[in-house]
Amino acid sequence: MTSQRTRERLIQRLYEEGVSNAKVLEAIRRTPRHLFVDEALAHRAYEDTALPIGHNQTISQPFMVAHMSELLLEAGPLDKVLEIGTGSGYQTAILAQLVERVFSVERIKVLQDRAKERLVELNLRNVVFRWGDGCEGWPALAPYNGIIVTAVAPEVPQALLDQLAPGGRMVIPVGPAGEAQQLMLIVREEHGFSRRVLGAVRFVPLLNGPLA
């Protein structure tokens, strides 16, 4: 179930669902998603579905990973992206192949430690990790040309808006956990922020405070 043919079927499905960025599709094609899930779930790795990774977290549906990556890159290449929620490291691995530098924050240390190992195994070395509260972002290294948030926030954290560079783009799910959530694209413009609602989604909640 981890054969190249199985992966190609996933790529075809993503394309049919509207993902058109060739670089995004190629990054997903060459990234072994089965390495980012438990061995017992490896046979489901190339299904277009979210899967559990422990600690009440999931590896996102491939379509959502592709869609959010594509939205981030819609206005052109990015050199500095902040990811909130390393999780399994799968979205991190995709981003690392699409942008110059990724700065990834995760509150659950054991998940981030595993993600680091996977990215080293794949020789993806343009990612810097921080164990901490994603709601705070990573202010010391701000501003960022792109910010991607892989958990739902009840509202957009002000700290993340503050860390977005002029012209920078943020893709974030917003809404109450377990209820109606919307994916949003926020762009920092000359006199404030533009916001675009992109449709209904379902993500695990963005929580405060680091967890060992």
Side-chain angles (χ1 to χ4, degrees), residues 110-189:
V110 65
L111 286 183
Q112 193 170 66
D113 288 346
R114 282 187 211 140
K116 282 183 191 176
E117 290 170 8
R118 290 169 181 140
L119 266 67
V120 167
E121 190 178 339
L122 295 173
N123 201 30
L124 296 170
R125 306 199 177 260
N126 58 336
V127 181
V128 184
F129 295 94
R130 177 178 185 234
W131 172 49
D133 189 332
C135 298
E136 297 172 0
W138 197 338
L141 299 178
Y144 304 95
N145 307 110
I147 298 177
I148 189 166
V149 184
T150 62
V152 67
E155 55 190 34
V156 182
Q158 185 60 47
L160 299 184
L161 291 171
D162 293 342
Q163 290 168 46
L164 200 57
R169 303 163 72 79
M170 185 193 314
V171 182
I172 179 172
V174 180
E179 295 180 40
Q181 305 170 5
Q182 299 289 338
L183 190 64
M184 293 185 72
L185 172 66
I186 299 170
V187 180
R188 184 163 206 162
E189 297 180 338

Side-chain angles (χ1 to χ4, degrees), residues 18-29:
V19 179
S20 60
N21 186 307
K23 289 182 178 177
V24 171
L25 290 170
E26 182 55 32
I28 289 181
R29 176 183 280 113

Side-chain angles (χ1 to χ4, degrees), residues 22 42 60 64-65 68 73 90 149 176 208:
S60 291
M64 194 51 61
V65 171
M68 291 174 75
L73 296 167
Y90 180 66
V149 184
N208 294 95

Side-chain angles (χ1 to χ4, degrees), residues 46-147:
Y46 300 98
E47 294 176 12
D48 189 22
T49 187
L51 295 169
I53 57 170
H55 304 274
N56 295 317
Q57 303 298 301
T58 59
I59 179 172
S60 291
Q61 174 192 9
F63 171 76
M64 194 51 61
V65 171
H67 183 47
M68 291 174 75
S69 302
E70 190 171 55
L71 287 165
L72 210 58
L73 296 167
E74 207 171 38
L78 298 175
D79 68 345
K80 191 176 177 187
V81 170
L82 174 67
E83 178 190 38
I84 303 300
T86 312
S88 69
Y90 180 66
Q91 172 78 77
T92 323
I94 300 300
L95 286 173
Q97 298 170 72
L98 297 169
V99 307
E100 282 188 33
R101 292 173 294 166
V102 181
F103 300 85
S104 189
V105 181
E106 171 59 56
R107 65 185 288 269
I108 303 172
K109 193 169 190 304
V110 65
L111 286 183
Q112 193 170 66
D113 288 346
R114 282 187 211 140
K116 282 183 191 176
E117 290 170 8
R118 290 169 181 140
L119 266 67
V120 167
E121 190 178 339
L122 295 173
N123 201 30
L124 296 170
R125 306 199 177 260
N126 58 336
V127 181
V128 184
F129 295 94
R130 177 178 185 234
W131 172 49
D133 189 332
C135 298
E136 297 172 0
W138 197 338
L141 299 178
Y144 304 95
N145 307 110
I147 298 177

